[in-house]
Amino acid sequence: MEVNKRLYENYVKEITPVHSRWKNLLWAFLVGGGICALAQLAVNSFMSMGMEKDAAMAWTQMLLIGSSILLTGFNIYPKLVKAAGAGALVPITGFANSMVAPALEYKVEGQVFGVGCKIFTIAGPVILYGIVSTWVLGILYYILSLWNIGW
Amino acid sequence: MDRKVGRASLKFERPPVIESSASVVGKKEGEGPLGSSFDKIEEDGMCGKKTWEEAESFMQQQACILALEKGKLKKEEIRYLFAGDLLGQLIATSFGAGNLEIPLFGLYGACSTIGEALCLSAMTVAGGFADRVLAVASSHFATAEKQFRFPLGYGNQRPFSSTWTVTGSGAFVVSDPERAKKGLAKITAITTGKATDIGAKDSMNMGAAMAPAAYSTIARHFMDFETDEKAFDRIITGDLGEVGRTVLLDFMKEDGHDLSQVHMDCGMEIFDKESQDTHAGGSGCGCAASTLSAYVLRKVVTGEWKKILFVPTGALLSTVSFNEGQTIPSIAHGVVIEHME
């Protein structure tokens, strides 16, 4: 039996079940929104204790990262992402998860070749292309500012 | 005389027998529908070792030792070992069954490895090159995730088409019919699969990548022996999962074969997908190997199934070829196992 590769691809797409988009969106909204709301609550509480806004935000970031690290260690964060998808991956907690997970996994391969080399396997591309895009935007900003166009 | 049949098959006139077999699995598999049938369930995924890889090696070696014990055999009575796993350079084998000091053939057939091992075992024994050989394959959820996907702690959403790598191992002693102390079942024929590439590229949908290989080998077997699905009580694939099963049944139907009643997939039997959240089913070398030993072989021993075609499938995928944009070739090996009176 001869099978056309393109037809096969379409056929497989047809018979493969997929996650419900609306359910995913709802979960992402609730969990992602929940994380942000908690962060806002933290900022407000720190400020009500007399902290400057910048300091309160820095402390909040540390709080979020710290919680995500703990939740990853206790195997709770992966379950959160499973339900919420990008809702739990996009906030800074997701970034922390993407660094702690390889660190935990590869520590048996040693501090240098294990943790050292592999801690950025998932976060690395985000950092690299994050820096590249800020660099591109920086140049753009410079050129535009030559004509007195700014934002 | 043993004879070559068709293009890719062999028929054994003096069929080698499976003298003994054993299965060792992890906790999740032990909690699955086949839980009570496995010989040993390791509650600790690390098996008390320092790394996942050591744990898999340990399980593989345990399966071999148990198979020998159950057959009241000493390792010195085994002439060759045919063993494999999913890891790079077969490290679970080198540090696992490899430790038994039996002359070793290390095999890689991805999740079809136990099929490849049984084919070569049967050929070696039937050819008179050994009285007794051992075939074993293993996989471990954590080692496979680490090698092929993400670190365990990393959060991600697995698609429904993805499978869950079985933590487990199955070992089989294949022996000359006259030298065997007992016989559980006999291997009467084999059909060797070819690498089949349908152009599938989704590593999270291995069932769709592998089903064409299962189809190719089953169709080849039917052609070589001029037979069809009616000759078998079961046609058993390794880890096609739900999507793969649908593809296989559709492909066979195109050829005029209705497999819906006789087909069974080890990956769909070993887990309860609703309560265990395994999506399309179980996968890995250990899936077909442990299910064959714990479940399928027992049915053949009791005679509930007289003749089965065991066709474990493997996706020949590597993270390198995948990142380089290559497709996922796959393979399936057919082994005919029959009840012994």
Side-chain angles (χ1 to χ4, degrees), chain B residues 30-31 34 39 51 63 95 120 133 156 184 212 231 241 261 273 310:
Chain B
E31 290 164 355
L34 307 181
D39 293 310
T51 68
F95 295 98
L120 291 169
V133 303
N156 66 330
L184 300 175
Q261 296 306 312
K273 68 165 185 153
F310 178 65

Side-chain angles (χ1 to χ4, degrees), chain A residues 1 3-5 8-9 11-12 15-20 24 72 75 77-79 81-86 89 94 97-98 101-102 104-106 108-109 121-122, chain B residues 50-53 142 146 150-161 197-200 205 207-209 211-212 215 243 246-248 250-251 254-255 277 279:
Chain A
M1 194 174 84
V3 182
N4 178 309
K5 289 187 179 181
Y8 186 69
E9 210 180 308
Y11 158 76
V12 167
I15 59 164
T16 303
V18 290
H19 289 280
S20 146
N24 262 354
T72 301
N75 199 26
Y77 206 78
K79 291 186 179 122
V81 182
K82 187 179 155 47
L89 279 177
N97 169 252
S98 76
L104 285 172
E105 188 75 274
Y106 292 108
V108 290
E109 292 180 26
T121 43
I122 302 167
Chain B
K50 283 203 194 80
T51 68
W52 300 118
E53 289 75 14
K146 183 174 168 182
F150 297 114
L152 284 189
Y154 179 62
N156 66 330
Q157 241 179 2
R158 297 167 56 245
F160 286 129
S161 54
D197 191 346
I198 195 137
N205 196 347
Y215 161 77
V243 177
T246 310
V247 176
L248 175 66
D250 281 354
F251 273 30
E254 286 286 311
D255 280 3
D277 192 32
H279 294 199

Side-chain angles (χ1 to χ4, degrees), chain A residues 78-130:
Chain A
K79 291 186 179 122
L80 206 60
V81 182
K82 187 179 155 47
L89 279 177
V90 174
I92 200 167
T93 46
F95 192 80
N97 169 252
S98 76
M99 290 194 54
V100 180
L104 285 172
E105 188 75 274
Y106 292 108
K107 68 172 191 276
V108 290
E109 292 180 26
Q111 293 300 321
V112 176
F113 293 109
V115 177
C117 291
K118 289 177 176 164
I119 196 165
F120 289 113
T121 43
I122 302 167
V126 182
I127 297 173
L128 173 66
Y129 295 110

Side-chain angles (χ1 to χ4, degrees), chain A residues 55-79:
Chain A
M57 304 243 292
W59 277 100
T60 302
Q61 286 202 359
M62 283 201 283
L63 185 73
L64 288 177
I65 292 171
S67 326
S68 171
I69 291 172
L70 275 179
L71 291 177
T72 301
F74 288 123
N75 199 26
I76 297 169
Y77 206 78
K79 291 186 179 122

Side-chain angles (χ1 to χ4, degrees), chain B residues 143-208:
Chain B
T143 60
E145 286 293 307
K146 183 174 168 182
Q147 172 161 314
F148 293 102
R149 295 178 196 99
F150 297 114
L152 284 189
Y154 179 62
N156 66 330
Q157 241 179 2
R158 297 167 56 245
F160 286 129
S161 54
S162 69
T163 48
W164 189 280
T165 307
V166 164
T167 300
S169 176
F172 304 83
V173 178
V174 179
S175 315
D176 185 280
E178 273 151 40
R179 306 298 291 268
K181 292 171 186 168
K182 59 174 181 172
L184 300 175
K186 53 189 179 181
I187 299 176
T188 53
I190 61 168
T191 298
T192 307
K194 58 179 169 42
T196 307
D197 191 346
I198 195 137
K201 283 191 169 177
D202 184 359
S203 70
M204 289 292 187
N205 196 347
M206 303 277 233

Side-chain angles (χ1 to χ4, degrees), chain B residues 85-298:
Chain B
D85 59 85
L86 292 177
L87 305 181
Q89 291 79 39
L90 299 184
I91 49 174
T93 298
S94 308
F95 295 98
N99 271 337
L100 295 172
E101 297 177 327
I102 300 169
L104 165 71
F105 289 102
L107 310 177
Y108 188 80
C111 312
S112 76
T113 303
I114 196 62
E116 186 178 0
L118 286 172
C119 285
L120 291 169
S121 296
M123 282 164 78
T124 307
V125 169
F129 300 111
D131 286 340
R132 215 174 253 117
V133 303
L134 189 58
V136 64
S138 69
S139 57
H140 193 301
F141 176 74
T143 60
E145 286 293 307
K146 183 174 168 182
Q147 172 161 314
F148 293 102
R149 295 178 196 99
F150 297 114
L152 284 189
Y154 179 62
N156 66 330
Q157 241 179 2
R158 297 167 56 245
F160 286 129
S161 54
S162 69
T163 48
W164 189 280
T165 307
V166 164
T167 300
S169 176
F172 304 83
V173 178
V174 179
S175 315
D176 185 280
E178 273 151 40
R179 306 298 291 268
K181 292 171 186 168
K182 59 174 181 172
L184 300 175
K186 53 189 179 181
I187 299 176
T188 53
I190 61 168
T191 298
T192 307
K194 58 179 169 42
T196 307
D197 191 346
I198 195 137
K201 283 191 169 177
D202 184 359
S203 70
M204 289 292 187
N205 196 347
M206 303 277 233
M210 296 189 295
Y215 161 77
S216 156
T217 301
I218 296 170
R220 170 51 60 196
H221 183 86
F222 286 177
M223 251 184 277
D224 284 353
F225 288 95
E226 293 173 0
T227 181
D228 61 17
E229 67 279 7
K230 292 182 198 77
F232 299 97
D233 292 302
R234 282 291 182 282
I235 293 176
I236 300 165
T237 50
D239 51 1
L240 288 185
E242 300 213 328
V243 177
R245 172 184 154 94
T246 310
V247 176
L248 175 66
L249 296 192
D250 281 354
F251 273 30
M252 294 305 302
K253 204 184 236 168
E254 286 286 311
D255 280 3
H257 296 290
D258 177 16
L259 256 56
S260 58
Q261 296 306 312
V262 291
H263 176 254
M264 178 195 123
D265 185 64
C266 298
M268 290 167 70
E269 301 293 324
I270 197 165
F271 291 125
D272 175 43
K273 68 165 185 153
E274 300 303 333
S275 67
Q276 296 190 293
D277 192 32
T278 46
H279 294 199
S283 62
C285 304
C287 178
S290 61
T291 308
L292 176 64
S293 171
Y295 180 67
V296 176
L297 213 48
R298 283 184 194 185

